[in-house]
Amino acid sequence: MPYPKVGFRRIDWFPYGLLAPALVVVTGLMLYPLLNTVWLSFYKYSLLDILSQEKTWIWFGNYLAIFKDPFFWQVLGNTALFTAACVIVTMLAGFAVAMLLNVKFPGRAVLGVAVLLPWVIPRVAASIVWKWIFNDQYGILNYFLVLLGFDQFKEFSWLTTQMRAFTSILIVVVWQSFPFVAFSLLAGFQSISSEIYEAAEVDGASWWQKLTGITLPLLKNLLLILFILETVWDFKIFDQVYVMTEGGPAQSTYIMGIYAWMEAFGNMMMGKASAIAVIMFAILALVTWLYIRVLSREEEVA
Amino acid sequence: MRKALGLLVAVLLLVGLAATGVLAESKVLNVWIMEPGNREAITKYFNDVNGDFEKSHPGVKVEIQYIPWLSGQQKFITSIAGGVAPDVAEMGSTWNGQFADMGALEPMDKYVDQWGYRDDFSPGLVESATLDGKLYGAPWYAGARGLIYRKDWFKEAGLEAPRTWDEFLQAAKVLTKDTDKDGKIDRYGFALQGNGRHTWLPLIWQNGGEIAVRKDGKWVSAIDQPAAVEALKWFTELLTRYKVTPEASVTWGALEARQAFALGKAAMFIEGSWGLEPILKSNPDLAGKIGVAMMPRGKKDGSSFAGGSNLVIFRQSKNKELAAEYVKMLLQPKNLIDFAREVKFFPGRVSTYDTYKNDPVLKVFADQMKVARSYPATPAWGAVEKSVVTNMIQEMLSGKISVEEGAKKYAARMNEIFNY
């Protein structure tokens, strides 16, 4: 008998007992809010009625209104493009830093700690600091750029047009997320046996050939997982945009997270905001499913 | 053994007595105050008045929590939803109607009638706190924005403080300069606030228009009417046509405009008397160089927005009588004037206004208060502010939409919110 028999009849309750705390937490903290959001998305429910709890069941009314609104498609487009840009730049930056840290040189440990810092700083705090850095009047970014001789950056406003604002936010997002990618990849690099590279060197493989022939194929699963995680994280970004532009100027940096927040707490339309959140959830679920399918098919072939 | 047991019982009894004694007598009064610009002075103020209050109400502990303006509304909503609303709170006057309509606030007529000075309250604030004939907040303080300008630069250019829109534009044009001749403007006539709705909406009143009017028991937007469109166009063109304000001002709020003024990059900007001290703090060289004037007059007048706060009691409070006592204490003339002085606003009781007649700066703002108005007292106003006003202004400023079309588009959006 591997463990004591606790239950009655023939059901062994012990494993369930062990699982219970985790199940309670998962249900309470994840499943309940999720289902509640889905449920709310079928109601016309104003935040003004939060105490009376008056709401009207309108079936798919919120979804229809959202899909009919050209602004939703604009926001969705913005979000998709911005997410793609963030993911690509983050992965490239993370990869480059991982390669750098994989080389032995004096001060590597110090650099490793320094690289980790942006990831440790709370997002809101970091965004506020970056907002100062980007400030057109007294930001240090413009100050240094002018010192370096780029006079066109004197009082350059980083947040006034859509392109500039998105670029600034992208810098902050990438700055905060590349350390995770870098360290995950570094671990991956070090899991590849050096003998494989030595063998390739004997055969006269170039640096590029080693990268595309050995490193990338062997790290494919890790890369895919990082892509999924980064996509999910960047798609639902809120803090950085909220702090830096609040979706402005003139709603030009609206992304899905800000859109849902504004409908909920700006326009008080909780039902509509829940519907937006459900749409976000559906899109991310689909993306994740696609990634995982690709991943598992690759494994079957291999 | 018996001895030990006896001792244990005695100790338990003592502890129990002490505990029940403490529980019976100590009450915590939770008070939320909006984050002030000068936190130290305000903290000292509350230490003093709360000390007095705690002395006259033994066993009561007043806990002050400071709430940032930007996230304040949301914080109130989530605390109400979570059943943990404070007992007393400072409530921005434009939010009062909304939270009263939500049923979150306790009507204050009963208390105000006991205090016996209902008629002394500032009428603009009373209006902001009134819903269906009931008063849901006690006027605390209010202030109106005026024009803050560089006296020395105006003198250099031979200009007087502008009294009309035309004079304002003229001065702004003259004072926009490339002072170091590097081909780039480095001093602007005006620091506009693309993210400063209280500097925009009164323009509509100044030109004889309205933001929204009440028709047959319903609010209808009026920002697409000619007087309003003309006003919005005039201000938008300060950036798009006359370029007398920096390009970045599309995203500026009061803080950024104030900073530009303090750094000597703008000759004029719109703010209340509370902005003066921070300017001198960040740039003491400006002492004696700052002038204040009433808002320039449009076709009708030079009105401004009477922005302020009321003191409210939340319906969820378990200490309503005590909360009312606390509000009453804050509204005593001395406490009221002291607080108003610290936040650079004007007290919610008109009888205190005489205090300012000999102050050359505060007198101007007190006069401005007399022509200051309130926004439509609809529960939907919060939503209108958040999703109509700033978006409309920024779209117009960045040229995404013409002023005429923008006014039409956002009037429709406003009506949609009024009717939700």
Side-chain angles (χ1 to χ4, degrees), chain A residues 44-45 47-48 50-51 136-138 154-155 157 159-160 164 249-251 261-262 265-269, chain B residues 74 77 80-81 98 102-104 184 248 251-252 256 259-260 265 383 386-387 391 394-395 400 413 420:
Chain A
K44 178 179 173 178
Y45 174 36
L47 209 47
L48 291 173
I50 196 166
L51 288 175
D136 53 285
Q137 298 177 61
Y138 46 85
K154 191 178 170 201
E155 283 169 35
S157 46
L159 300 169
T160 39
R164 289 183 195 175
Q251 295 184 306
W261 172 82
M262 183 52 98
F265 292 102
N267 293 339
M268 318 252 141
M269 301 175 182
Chain B
Q74 191 180 340
I77 291 170
I80 294 161
Q98 178 194 330
M102 216 184 259
K184 251 187 112 124
T251 58
W252 282 2
E256 288 83 3
Q259 193 69 35
K265 291 177 179 168
K386 271 211 148 110
S387 78
N391 291 333
Q394 292 188 334
E395 278 196 23
K400 268 173 85 175
R413 181 92 188 93
Y420 188 74

Side-chain angles (χ1 to χ4, degrees), chain B residues 96-418:
Chain B
N96 212 145
Q98 178 194 330
F99 285 99
D101 189 74
M102 216 184 259
L105 305 178
E106 183 72 6
M108 299 192 67
D109 303 82
K110 181 174 77 175
Y111 307 115
V112 168
D113 288 339
Q114 274 171 19
W115 305 338
Y117 49 77
R118 189 187 270 264
D119 294 341
D120 192 21
F121 282 139
S122 146
L125 285 178
V126 168
E127 196 191 339
S128 73
T130 305
L131 186 77
D132 299 330
K134 274 188 192 156
L135 191 68
Y136 287 93
W140 195 18
Y141 67 80
R145 286 161 183 77
L147 190 69
I148 297 181
Y149 66 98
R150 281 292 292 268
K151 254 196 303 200
D152 51 336
W153 292 352
F154 269 72
K155 209 170 167 190
E156 249 172 52
L159 291 165
E160 297 274 331
R163 282 157 304 179
T164 64
W165 282 10
D166 289 340
E167 287 180 14
F168 174 86
L169 179 60
Q170 189 53 36
K173 279 186 194 162
V174 170
L175 292 166
T176 300
K177 271 186 181 173
D178 172 14
T179 52
D180 58 6
K181 306 281 175 238
D182 67 345
K184 251 187 112 124
I185 301 291
D186 43 37
R187 178 203 285 178
Y188 285 89
F190 183 56
L192 186 108
Q193 297 168 33
N195 193 13
R197 51 184 175 264
H198 303 315
T199 67
W200 283 79
L201 291 170
L203 300 165
I204 296 173
W205 298 329
Q206 290 167 15
N207 207 34
E210 289 294 333
I211 297 161
V213 286
R214 195 144 169 95
K215 267 188 202 149
D216 307 323
K218 251 183 164 176
W219 287 97
V220 182
S221 176
I223 52 170
D224 55 350
Q225 299 303 304
V229 174
E230 195 182 48
L232 294 170
K233 187 165 182 151
W234 178 72
F235 221 53
T236 303
E237 286 184 343
L238 293 179
L239 175 71
T240 58
R241 183 166 166 201
Y242 301 108
K243 303 195 187 331
V244 294
T245 173
E247 184 205 357
S249 57
V250 175
T251 58
W252 282 2
L255 281 182
E256 288 83 3
R258 184 197 290 165
Q259 193 69 35
F261 184 85
L263 292 172
K265 291 177 179 168
M268 296 185 275
F269 84 115
I270 294 172
E271 208 183 20
S273 46
W274 57 88
L276 292 168
E277 198 177 283
I279 292 172
L280 286 174
K281 215 171 176 183
S282 67
N283 187 357
D285 292 347
L286 291 185
K289 296 177 182 168
I290 303 174
V292 295
M294 284 175 67
M295 292 281 251
R297 296 165 55 95
K299 271 188 193 147
K300 183 163 176 252
D301 58 18
S303 55
S304 188
F305 160 64
S309 288
N310 304 318
L311 288 165
V312 299
I313 298 173
F314 277 85
R315 198 164 264 177
Q316 287 172 358
S317 166
K318 291 188 184 72
N319 305 306
K320 295 195 183 84
E321 293 294 325
L322 192 66
E325 293 264 301
Y326 187 74
V327 171
K328 183 185 172 194
M329 184 272 301
L330 287 181
L331 292 178
Q332 284 164 8
K334 186 190 172 296
N335 288 341
L336 199 54
I337 292 169
D338 283 352
F339 187 80
R341 189 187 304 120
E342 293 299 351
V343 290
K344 306 292 181 281
F345 274 79
F346 297 91
R349 293 176 65 177
V350 182
S351 57
T352 60
Y353 272 44
D354 272 356
T355 329
Y356 306 104
K357 63 177 184 229
N358 294 323
D359 184 317
V361 171
L362 291 184
K363 193 186 163 303
V364 173
F365 286 102
D367 287 344
Q368 184 73 64
M369 268 299 287
K370 289 177 193 155
V371 281
R373 298 182 48 184
S374 287
Y375 297 137
T378 148
W381 183 254
V384 171
E385 275 198 346
K386 271 211 148 110
S387 78
V388 172
V389 183
T390 307
N391 291 333
M392 174 180 78
I393 293 166
Q394 292 188 334
E395 278 196 23
M396 290 171 175
L397 282 174
S398 55
K400 268 173 85 175
I401 200 166
S402 75
V403 172
E404 289 81 1
E405 278 174 45
K408 215 181 279 171
K409 172 179 161 187
Y410 281 102
R413 181 92 188 93
M414 208 189 269
N415 288 332
E416 193 188 326
I417 294 173
F418 286 147

Side-chain angles (χ1 to χ4, degrees), chain A residues 82 127 129-146 148 150-172 240-241 244-246 248-249 252-253, chain B residues 184 246-252 256:
Chain A
F82 183 65
S127 307
V129 171
W130 275 98
K131 201 181 173 189
W132 283 350
I133 294 176
F134 283 123
N135 187 289
D136 53 285
Q137 298 177 61
Y138 46 85
I140 56 164
L141 181 60
N142 284 349
Y143 175 76
F144 281 120
L145 286 171
V146 170
L148 290 172
F150 299 101
D151 278 338
Q152 66 268 38
F153 285 105
K154 191 178 170 201
E155 283 169 35
F156 184 83
S157 46
W158 285 91
L159 300 169
T160 39
T161 67
Q162 185 181 36
M163 201 56 207
R164 289 183 195 175
F166 264 134
T167 309
S168 309
I169 300 166
L170 178 128
I171 292 174
V172 181
Q240 291 95 333
V241 185
M244 292 188 51
T245 67
E246 218 182 314
S252 60
T253 53
Chain B
K184 251 187 112 124
E247 184 205 357
S249 57
V250 175
T251 58
W252 282 2
E256 288 83 3

